[in-house]
Amino acid sequence: MPVAPLKIAVFGAGAVGIYVGASLLAAGADVVLIGRARMRGQIASQGLLLSDLEGRRQRLEGDQVPYRENPSALAAADLVLVTVKSADSATAASAIASWAKPSALVVSLQNGVGNVDTLRSLLAGRQVLAAMVPFNVAQMEGNRFHRASGGELMVEANHRLEPWLALFRQAGLPLRQCQDIAAVLWGKLLLNLNNAVNALSGLALKSELSQRAYRRCLALLIEEALGVLRAAGIRPARIARAGPRLLPALLRLPDAMFTRVAATMLKIDPEARSSMWQDLHAGRPTEVDYLNGAIVRLAESLARDAPANRRITALVHAAEQGGLQPLSGAALYRALRA
């Protein structure tokens, strides 16, 4: 008797979710995307185009992309990829608990460090794994979803991933299994502290990171975060070419030297921007409380302060209220040091 193909549901199909889900779909996987009506309408009318830095261009027509708004579409899934914003983790868990079969493997592909704990606490008895998406995905004109930077998906090591490894590899999304995924998530969070810098700069990522004034802001945020992590006994993993403790010094190099020494950090599509910039300009709440705010909360739990991360969190919240005015690198640095 033939074995039924394994089914995948991507819950929270925004830019990253659509890129991952559509890549798996293009590789022959049985995938359903679950998200908002607006995106469903866009895909139905325009289809979507997948692209990346290496020149990939792969079009899927609207009728080739199963996209649902109702979480009941989770019911048949053997693998659930959670790609919602951090603030929606509890809502996602509730939907999974209501609709997904208990045997389904749940993998969090979210930014931040606390999402998998939220999912596990609300999905008792189910297998939930943490994972990290290292690359940036930008939604471009023409409903193009562009992978604007590199890196492999990193996931908590588990034997239940075995049936999925070949499929993810075929989709150009190889899964790198890690024994200490918590260290990986903290390492990624250090890099994600730049999301707020980028959002407030108003610039594309490559342009922002090419300017020492903005890199000094990021160096300040990372250095402060490293102090908090040390006090908490947390050792973040190396995600970038340079280790976490070398990053502040590297970021403070003059532009010409940084361009030579850290060329891989600038291997970003010139059009790419952070998801936080995209959220601000779409009028959506950002994830700043789960990135810079996570450092602030960890510091508070240790009776410490993280003033630079606290200040940039406040600046992003102010920008969420409207009237966003881009800040120069010098002005932002002064605000963080005030």
Side-chain angles (χ1 to χ4, degrees), residues 186 224 227-229 231-232 293-307:
W186 280 110
E224 180 178 88
V228 175
L229 294 182
I295 298 298
V296 175
R297 288 192 301 279
L298 181 59
E300 289 172 346
S301 73
L302 301 167
R304 295 169 63 103
D305 190 16

Side-chain angles (χ1 to χ4, degrees), residues 58-83:
Q58 189 164 17
R59 173 162 288 283
L60 296 175
E61 301 303 328
D63 58 5
Q64 295 178 282
V65 184
Y67 196 107
R68 307 287 182 265
E69 296 170 54
N70 196 315
S72 62
L74 289 163
D78 301 291
L79 173 66
V80 179
L81 303 177
V82 180
T83 57

Side-chain angles (χ1 to χ4, degrees), residues 26 52 61 67 76 91 99 174 177 198 220 259:
D52 66 18
E61 301 303 328
Y67 196 107
T91 301
W99 292 105
Q177 296 190 63
N198 180 252
L220 177 64
T259 301

Side-chain angles (χ1 to χ4, degrees), residues 151-174:
E152 295 181 338
L153 295 176
M154 302 177 80
V155 61
E156 186 175 0
N158 191 280
H159 70 279
R160 290 193 61 190
L161 292 169
E162 187 62 35
W164 306 101
L165 297 180
L167 180 58
F168 274 76
R169 189 164 51 248
Q170 187 176 337
L173 299 167

Side-chain angles (χ1 to χ4, degrees), residues 19-237:
Y19 185 87
V20 170
S23 294
L24 289 164
L25 191 65
D30 187 341
V31 181
V32 62
L33 307 178
I34 303 170
R36 300 186 188 281
R38 177 186 59 81
M39 186 62 73
R40 180 175 181 270
Q42 281 183 216
I43 291 176
S45 62
Q46 302 177 49
L48 60 86
L49 177 65
L50 301 175
S51 62
D52 66 18
L53 277 173
E54 281 70 48
R56 173 188 192 181
R57 292 187 77 84
Q58 189 164 17
R59 173 162 288 283
L60 296 175
E61 301 303 328
D63 58 5
Q64 295 178 282
V65 184
Y67 196 107
R68 307 287 182 265
E69 296 170 54
N70 196 315
S72 62
L74 289 163
D78 301 291
L79 173 66
V80 179
L81 303 177
V82 180
T83 57
V84 300
K85 297 290 187 182
S86 297
D88 296 324
S89 292
T91 301
S94 177
I96 293 167
S98 297
W99 292 105
K101 52 192 178 186
S103 61
L105 177 62
V106 179
V107 178
S108 168
L109 294 175
Q110 301 167 271
N111 276 334
V113 294
N115 296 300
V116 75
D117 294 329
T118 299
L119 293 174
R120 283 175 178 155
S121 69
L122 298 172
L123 294 172
R126 296 173 184 254
Q127 185 86 63
V128 182
L129 303 180
M132 185 275 286
V133 180
F135 48 80
N136 171 282
V137 177
Q139 184 179 355
M140 317 292 280
E141 188 176 350
N143 222 32
R144 176 162 65 100
F145 292 85
H146 181 66
R147 177 172 168 164
S149 55
E152 295 181 338
L153 295 176
M154 302 177 80
V155 61
E156 186 175 0
N158 191 280
H159 70 279
R160 290 193 61 190
L161 292 169
E162 187 62 35
W164 306 101
L165 297 180
L167 180 58
F168 274 76
R169 189 164 51 248
Q170 187 176 337
L173 299 167
L175 296 175
R176 180 176 163 194
Q177 296 190 63
C178 306
Q179 296 299 329
D180 189 358
I181 194 66
V184 169
L185 295 178
W186 280 110
K188 175 69 185 310
L189 186 139
L190 290 176
L191 301 181
N192 277 345
L193 298 180
N194 186 57
N195 285 13
V197 177
N198 180 252
L200 295 172
S201 76
L203 301 173
L205 277 164
K206 186 167 185 174
S207 178
E208 173 238 319
L209 285 170
S210 295
Q211 298 181 39
R212 183 170 181 262
Y214 288 113
R215 294 198 308 275
R216 289 178 71 211
C217 297
L218 178 56
L220 177 64
L221 295 169
I222 291 177
E223 199 165 59
E224 180 178 88
L226 285 169
V228 175
L229 294 182
R230 274 195 302 273
I234 296 170
R235 297 187 64 180

